[in-house]
Amino acid sequence: MGVGRMIETLHYLAARPKDRAGVRYSTRCYAPPLNIVCDTPLNYPRLTPHFRDIARILAALILVLFFSVPCLALTGQVDQIGFQNTYRPNCWTPMLVTIHPDGAAGNFLLQVVQEDLDRDRVVYQRPIALSGGTTDQRFWTCFIPEPTDSGLPDPTEGLPALQARLKVFLADSNGKPIAQLQLTQPVIDIDPKSSRMDMQRAKRLILAVSDAGSNDLAPQFNYDDVRGVKEDVSIFPANPSDLPDNPLGYESVDAIILMNVDPAELKAENKFNALVQWVKEGGTLLICQNPQWQKMQSWGDLLPITYPAFGGGGSLMQGSADRDTPGPLPEWDLLTKPTTNPANPFRVAVAQALPAAHEVDHIAWPAGNGKTINTSYLVRQLYGVGTVSWIAVDIGDRRFARMNLYWPRIWDHIFGWNNYTISLPNGNTVQEQQQITAIRALYDYAHGIDLGTAFLASMEHAGRSASLLLIAAIFLGIYWLLAGPGEYLFLLSRKRTRLSWFFFAAIAAAATLLTFIVVKLVLRGPPEVHHISVVRVNSDQKAVVRSGIGLYIPRDNPAEPVELGDTSGDAYITPFPIHPQQMKANSFAGYMQYAVNVRDVTDETPPLIRVPYRSTLKKLQAKWLGTQPIIEGPPPQLLPPSKGYIAGQLTNGTNHPLQDIFILFHYPSTEPASNGDWGLYLPSWRTGDSVDLRQTFAAAKILDMVNEPRTVPGQNMIIKGRIGRGKIQLDWDRWWYNGLQGGTEEADYPQGDDPYTAFVMASLFERLPTPQTHTNQPRFELQRRGARNMDASNILAAGGMLILARTEGPLPFPLEVSGQAIGGSGDIYYQMILPLDQTQLAPLQTTTAP
């Protein structure tokens, strides 16, 4: 007997005789927490009053035994969403739940139900295994917050409003919900939908992780009075136990700082592999020196340094040593001088950068006889398609907090952010008030321009939409002409207007049949794909491809399988996670439901979802991991300016002719004329052709929009220039910002402009100068909703070469719809990463005297 039928039978047995008068009986019954609904009319025989009390008692006992076990045995709650219950919309968000098993064991599913941009219900589900017993068990899962109705409710709307929109279930292995998990805290959106009249900067989300017993303090700074920066910084302190075990959970994070963290603890909690994978896929990681330097060895190849022995005799040093000052870190804020306290020295690493790493700063140690030994202080290296940095001190040391450091400039130096960071003075004097006025005139808050909107149109099927609308308009016009004046004039000419209703009905019937035939003819054919794909690939051809896909299937199907091929790990295909700010209203009155599996790194099965279709467009997002061809050649060399800056032979080893190529590298120098990020622009690069960098760079025209306006992209010229340093006056920043105007409200990226320019700016976001006010050009804030994962600025900061290029073609990875391979057409943007050889340059890093 089915559960619903049994409930209804028991209901009948427990009912009073006058309710069971031998007639047809119908009831609607609910069985929480299973939410089973039965609505079945039945005929039951009459029971004698003698059995009434027994039946009612038995019914109550059976109901208690049948439903109380699952209700009591499996309960739980949601402990954490995002980081400190702060999340970023339009990307994967981690969630930590606690299950109270009460002896239950077996395989289950954690389910998070949200809406996609079409208001279909998406069930993000991750398998878990309960081991039984009575001890609480904790599990991580991930989901993408819904973009509809301005996103998830904020704390002012209350926890019940969030509980109604964000539903979390524990389900059996077949996906049937067993219990709904309760939310315990409201959530905060770090990038909420705002009024177009608001003036605000976006925020970077940085995790500062330290061991629970280390007593480290995450550096904090209020950015309210800071000007000249592109984004604010929000530091979220965390312990290793607060980190998700899936790299998807870090998608909202801009950088991670590890302070006094023992790698063994991350490995013991199964967090290490997720962290490493996130870095390999483009993340930015900063490892601070642990006071116990031997523990640092466990970081393995994440470390860009080694710990050789320095000096000899009585001055032998290895690993770390004490000094009165912590080195150059306090000087990076340009205000604070190091504190000297021999009674409480700082522990500073004694290390050497690896040959392939980029040493940014070093520190001097006394070696006797007036000599010094230089060791590395701040080092960066390429890692996968991301970067790892290392610093010789623990920045979580509480003594740094007591120094009253100006952390905005320190972050600029550590992470390589190109800001013109300045703080508003107190305004206590006339001179300070004048300074405030001058600073605000250049860098005060402004309305934003959203780079992310530039890429949304690439997923649309404008030609298909226009053709369908044209067919509908033509058909409507013909029908109106025949059923209206055409029919009437025809009958009038024959003096039979009394037959107008008969002819009208005949035309309507014929039009209905014709409509059916036209729909069947038009809504058929294979699936169609329009896409925008960003391929980030390193010199080992290891690639991460992220694609926005507009998939049109001209038929109705509640479960259309869409599958990625030839990939593994945390690759995925999901509904497109549009930001609520970019969300447009849709007209779907009903909804359908489908599942998205939250994949583990070890999962070798191909990502697959079954998407409901209504003969319309569905927007999806995919991340694919694998190998991709790249620009080939040995690492280019940086040379002294007198020898040409850069040399090397590079060959286009991709399968496409490339267009609008930017070859970018950082040139370290004490000379203002040569120091900075340089870019060499090539109009085109055919497959198999080689470029001599020294010769091409020497022959390139200098970008000069003022004196020689022809020297800009689009003129079929090879051009070189620099990214400006903190001001929009020279070189590439002037070109990229050209045409972006601040105004009285927030604006989308100009739709008439080439989205590739927005891609270049998104790729170099942290190396771009902060926009400032110019004559007849109000300043603007750069927003990058949906484009944060395009940022490859850390590659230049780590001393690598970044090559940006574009081409057109099918998806750069295999995609199947209903078992049929689909290539489609669209824009492919490349971010190709090559190591740079800097051995020909003399060390230019700053040092701190011993």
Side-chain angles (χ1 to χ4, degrees), residues 117-119 583-590 614 616:
L117 60 84
D118 298 320
R119 293 193 178 273
M583 178 73 183
K584 307 297 183 184
N586 63 59
S587 58
F588 286 117
R614 308 175 181 89
T616 187

Side-chain angles (χ1 to χ4, degrees), residues 265-283:
E265 185 173 349
L266 288 176
K267 293 178 180 179
E269 296 192 14
N270 200 28
K271 309 297 179 67
F272 189 84
N273 290 339
L275 184 65
V276 170
Q277 186 65 24
W278 171 75
V279 178
K280 286 184 176 180
E281 294 175 9

